[in-house]
Amino acid sequence: MTSAELLDLLLETTLAGSAAILVVLASRRYLRRMFGPGLAHAAWLLVPAAVLAVLLPAPEAAPLPVATLHAIPAATAAVTVFRPAVSAADGAAAVWGLGVLLATMRLAMQQRGFLRGLGTLQRRLDGSWQASACAGLPAVVGLLRPRIVVPADFDSRYTSTQRALMQLHERTHIRRGDLHVNAVVALLRCLFWFNPLVHAAARRFRHDQELACDAAVVARYPHRRRAYGEAMLHTQLAAQPLPLGCHWGFSHPLRERIEMLKLTPKSGPRIAAGIVVITALAVATGAAAWAAQPGRAALQDSGSIAAKDGNAVDGHVVGLSVRIDDSRPMASSGRFTPGREQVFDYDHEGQRWEVALTITPADAGTYTVATRILRDGQLQAAPNLVVREGEDAGITVGERTDDRLVKGLELGLVVRRADAQAVDDTRIQNPPAYPAAAAAGGVGGSVVLLVDVDAAGKPTLVQVERSEPAGVFDAASIEAAYKWRFDPEIRNGEAVPSRLRVPVRFDPPVADGTPADGPAPG
C-alpha cells in the first residue's frame, strides 16, 4: 500500500468512524433511558461497524446503456481531480506513523504507571489479589490472565456485602470481555490519535461500560442497591487511568452510576425492542458508510508517454478526449503499436474508467479501432470504428439529453502518423531521457506527473505525484515535461491556466535498444 492509499484509507475510516461516533453521542442518553445501560453501551458497536464497512469492496454499478456512435470535434482540456503529491503523502504518512508511536508509548506509560502504583500483590483466599495501595481499586487487570486486584484496606473499608458486590462487578467485566474491548479502544485511539472525537468517545465509552456493568450487578441483586451505592462512595478515585483494564476510579461518573441504581430494570419486551433498534442502527450505519465510500482503485501504470533509451521512433499517434458524467473533458495522446491493445485510465468521483484501444491500419489512410470501455472493471461497451487519418471520431456510452452527456463516458479520438506532429505532440518529440544507470541495470518503472500549464499550454510547475521505483526517474520526467506543450483548457471560449495528470512509463531496453514491451500510449 502506497502512502497516498494509506492516507485515503485513513481519511475514509476517519469520516465514517466520526459520523458513527456523533450518532452514538447524540443517542446514548436516550437509549439508556428507553432500553437500559446495557443496550446504550452496545450502541458503540456502530463505530466499528462503520469503520469495517469502509474496508469492504465498493458496490458495483450497473452497466450503462450504449448510445449511438457519432462524430464529434476532438475536445481538449485538463484533468482537474487529483491526489496529493508523493512527497506530501509520504511526509503525512510519516507524521501519522510518528503519532501512532507516541500515542502507543503514552498509553503504555499510563498502563505501567498504574500497575507499578499497585505495589506488592498478595494472593487472597477468595482468588483475588490484594495490593499495597488503595487508589482506583478494586480493578481487574491482565488480558491473557485477568486478575481482580483489591485495595490494601479492602476488608476494613467495606462490609462483606459490599466486598462481594464489588468483586462480582469485576467478574462481570471479565465475563463480558471488557478488558479485550478496552484494548481495541486503546488501539483505535493510537491509530486515530489525530481525531479528538475518538478520544472523547473513548471516555464516554468507558462511562457507559461501567454503567452497563453496574446494571448487570443490580439486576442480579436488586435488593442490595443501597450497599452497592455506598461501596461506590467509599471508593477512592485513582490518580491516573488504566487503559487496558477496568477499575472503579479515574473520572467514572459516580453521580450517574448512583442515579442509575434508582432505575427499574427494563422488561424483556423493552430489551428485545432495544436490541432491534441497536441492530438496525448498526446495519444502517455500516451500509451508509459502505455505499458512500469512494473507489480506491489505484491509477494504473499504462500511461501517456513511453520513455526509451534513445530518441523517439516514427510510428502512429492517437489523440483522445474523454468526458465523464458531464465533467470537463480530459485530454491525452501518445504512440500506439498497431494491433496491440493499449489502455488509458481515468479516475472520476471514485470510479475508474478504462478505455482500451486496439488500432490496426487498414487501407491507405484508414484504421480500424476496436474499443473496450470499462467502469470499475465492468465492461460497458465494445464498439468497433473505422476512422480516416487525421479525422475526428467519437463514441458515447451512457445517457444524453439535449445533445449533452448526462451520465456515462464520451470519447473523441483522432489517429495520425507520428511524423504529422503538432504543438501538442511535443511530449512525443521530447521524451524523457532514460537514466543511464537504470538502462544499464534493466530497471523499468513509472512516474505520474502533475503539470500546471498557463493559457498558452506552457508548463509553469511540474510535480511528481507518485513514482515507482521512487526517485529513479523523477528528475528525467520533470526535465522533459518543461519542454512539452499542451492544449490549454477552454472555458467560456477562452484559454485558461489548468492542471493535468501525465503518466510516464519507462520500459527497460533490450539488446536491440527498444523497450521490452514496446512503446506505451501517451
Side-chain angles (χ1 to χ4, degrees):
M1 178 181 292
T2 65
S3 298
E5 291 170 340
L6 173 62
L7 295 178
D8 286 344
L9 184 60
L10 278 175
L11 176 61
E12 294 168 23
T13 52
T14 297
L15 293 176
S18 297
I21 288 172
L22 292 175
V23 171
V24 177
L25 292 177
S27 61
R28 55 195 284 265
R29 294 183 181 275
Y30 170 79
L31 294 173
R32 186 190 308 157
R33 185 169 60 253
M34 292 296 297
F35 306 113
L39 289 178
H41 178 238
W44 288 102
L45 290 173
L46 271 65
V47 179
V51 173
L52 292 176
V54 172
L55 304 179
L56 296 176
E60 294 185 359
L64 293 173
V66 180
T68 57
L69 305 182
H70 64 285
I72 59 172
T76 58
V79 180
T80 56
V81 180
F82 310 99
R83 294 175 179 170
V86 164
S87 58
D90 288 342
V95 171
W96 171 78
L98 179 61
V100 171
L101 178 61
L102 294 176
T104 303
M105 293 175 59
R106 179 175 178 271
L107 290 183
M109 291 176 63
Q110 289 180 352
Q111 182 78 9
R112 183 180 180 185
F114 185 92
L115 296 178
R116 293 184 64 179
L118 298 178
T120 304
L121 299 181
Q122 294 183 349
R123 187 69 177 265
R124 291 168 54 93
L125 295 177
D126 58 11
S128 63
W129 295 78
Q130 189 154 12
S132 58
C134 296
L137 299 175
V140 56
V141 298
L143 293 178
L144 299 179
R145 299 176 59 185
R147 295 186 295 179
I148 297 175
V149 182
V150 299
D153 59 353
F154 191 54
D155 295 317
S156 60
R157 176 178 296 211
Y158 304 100
T159 66
S160 59
T161 299
Q162 292 171 347
R163 292 197 300 268
L165 292 172
M166 297 176 80
Q167 289 188 329
L168 176 60
H169 177 100
E170 303 304 335
R171 287 195 297 271
T172 302
H173 277 307
I174 296 173
R175 186 179 68 253
R176 290 159 55 97
D178 287 343
L179 280 78
H180 299 88
V181 173
N182 289 345
V184 174
V185 172
L187 175 63
L188 293 177
R189 291 184 64 187
C190 294
L191 294 177
F192 297 95
W193 56 266
F194 53 87
N195 187 356
L197 265 179
V198 171
H199 302 291
R203 290 191 293 270
R204 286 160 178 79
F205 171 83
R206 295 290 290 268
H207 294 175
D208 291 344
Q209 184 183 78
E210 291 300 319
L211 291 173
C213 196
D214 292 339
V217 174
V218 171
R220 186 171 178 179
Y221 297 102
H223 57 287
R224 294 180 179 175
R225 296 171 185 267
R226 182 179 181 86
Y228 194 71
E230 290 174 347
M232 292 181 188
L233 295 175
H234 288 325
T235 302
Q236 180 177 346
L237 294 181
Q240 58 183 335
L242 176 62
L244 303 183
C246 302
H247 64 102
W248 283 54
F250 189 58
S251 72
H252 285 321
L254 293 181
R255 177 180 298 178
E256 288 185 68
R257 294 177 68 181
I258 293 175
E259 290 178 351
M260 187 278 303
L261 299 179
K262 304 176 183 178
L263 300 178
T264 302
K266 303 304 179 183
S267 63
R270 179 69 66 90
I271 293 177
I275 293 174
V276 172
V277 170
I278 298 300
T279 302
L281 282 175
V283 171
T285 303
W290 176 70
Q293 63 171 314
R296 289 189 295 275
L299 186 66
Q300 299 297 310
D301 287 334
S302 58
S304 60
I305 302 295
K308 301 178 60 179
D309 186 22
N311 296 323
V313 298
D314 291 339
H316 301 79
V317 178
V318 60
L320 298 180
S321 173
V322 172
R323 182 192 298 272
I324 301 174
D325 292 351
D326 199 27
S327 64
R328 284 176 289 184
M330 297 173 281
S332 57
S333 63
R335 296 181 183 274
F336 66 89
T337 301
R340 176 180 174 183
E341 184 177 76
Q342 308 284 10
V343 181
F344 297 79
D345 299 296
Y346 303 91
D347 289 330
H348 176 71
E349 295 183 354
Q351 294 181 334
R352 189 185 76 177
W353 288 83
E354 299 174 77
V355 177
L357 302 177
T358 302
I359 304 176
T360 305
D363 298 333
T366 63
Y367 301 84
T368 60
V369 182
T371 67
R372 292 190 308 117
I373 299 175
L374 301 94
R375 181 180 63 185
D376 292 334
Q378 299 294 316
L379 183 66
Q380 306 296 303
N384 294 323
L385 300 175
V386 176
V387 300
R388 295 188 61 83
E389 181 179 333
E391 294 185 1
D392 300 323
I395 301 169
T396 298
V397 179
E399 304 171 4
R400 299 181 64 89
T401 301
D402 298 330
D403 199 33
R404 180 175 64 88
L405 181 69
V406 175
K407 187 174 183 60
L409 181 143
E410 188 175 70
L411 169 67
L413 63 88
V414 59
V415 180
R416 58 183 179 274
R417 292 189 177 274
D419 54 1
Q421 307 244 341
V423 173
D424 61 343
D425 292 325
T426 53
R427 287 172 287 174
I428 297 181
Q429 294 174 335
N430 300 282
Y434 211 114
V443 177
S446 63
V447 178
V448 179
L449 300 175
L450 296 181
V451 183
D452 292 340
V453 300
D454 59 18
K458 181 179 179 180
T460 58
L461 177 65
V462 180
Q463 304 175 69
V464 174
E465 183 184 35
R466 67 178 180 86
S467 59
E468 183 72 29
V472 176
F473 303 106
D474 295 13
S477 301
I478 293 174
E479 180 181 1
Y482 278 109
K483 301 177 183 178
W484 300 338
R485 296 297 180 268
F486 300 88
D487 293 321
E489 178 182 349
I490 305 300
R491 188 180 301 167
N492 297 326
E494 296 183 359
V496 296
S498 54
R499 170 174 282 191
L500 303 93
R501 176 188 280 117
V502 182
V504 184
R505 194 179 74 201
F506 291 78
D507 291 328
V510 293
D512 62 359
T514 61
D517 296 327

